[in-house]
């Protein structure tokens, strides 16, 4: 079985390596060129869906019935998903995107 080499995150502008400790949500500056970067929303959504699934499994494992099957995935979506995003940044580094949401002055 052949594993693909794990390529870390890198800046789309300067191609400099970006480590997990540099990453902030919702956006952060590239440690090399200062460009505003963000983790793609689809990555965070995937982490939250995974968290929701984990929340559901935990509720089932602890034999919590009824309302827990609604609360578990909800808590998992927001809480476990956000926590899961950190190791996922290492295991499956996303392609960072330029953050277009930051409003800048028009260079004035
Ligand atoms: Zn950069």
């Amino acid at each position: 079985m052949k594993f693909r080499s794990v390529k870390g995150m890198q800046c789309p502008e300067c191609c400099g390596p970006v480590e997990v400790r540099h990453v902030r949500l919702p956006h952060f500056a590239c440690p090399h060129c200062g460009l505003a970067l963000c983790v793609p929303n689809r990555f965070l959504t995937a982490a939250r869906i995974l968290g929701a699934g984990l929340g559901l499994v935990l509720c089932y494992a602890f034999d919590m019935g009824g309302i827990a099957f609604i609360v578990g995935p909800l808590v998992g979506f927001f809480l476990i998903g956000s926590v899961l995003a950190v190791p996922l940044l290492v295991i499956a580094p996303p392609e960072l995107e330029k953050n277009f949401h930051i409003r800048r002055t028009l260079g004035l």
Side-chain angles (χ1 to χ4, degrees):
M1 195 167 157
K2 192 178 175 185
F3 292 97
R4 70 180 175 97
S5 62
V6 177
K7 191 178 167 192
M9 295 175 286
Q10 65 177 29
C11 173
E13 188 74 17
C14 68
C15 296
V18 178
E19 295 174 31
V20 174
R21 66 189 163 102
H22 298 131
V23 177
R24 300 280 181 275
L25 296 175
H27 52 78
F28 60 98
C30 170
H32 308 285
C33 68
L35 182 79
L37 299 172
C38 64
V39 176
N41 270 336
R42 59 184 178 277
F43 177 84
L44 296 174
T45 305
R48 287 181 176 141
I49 289 171
L50 212 63
L54 200 63
L56 188 65
V57 168
L58 283 175
C59 282
Y60 185 75
F62 286 103
D63 202 23
M64 300 165 85
I67 194 83
F69 282 95
I70 297 165
V71 176
L74 274 177
V75 170
F77 186 84
F78 292 106
L79 202 71
I80 302 174
S82 302
V83 174
L84 267 182
V86 178
L88 278 177
L89 284 172
V90 179
I91 297 166
E95 250 180 58
L96 297 175
E97 294 176 345
K98 295 177 189 175
N99 186 1
F100 298 107
H101 304 296
I102 293 180
R103 294 193 189 281
R104 297 189 167 192
T105 57
L106 300 168
L108 300 173

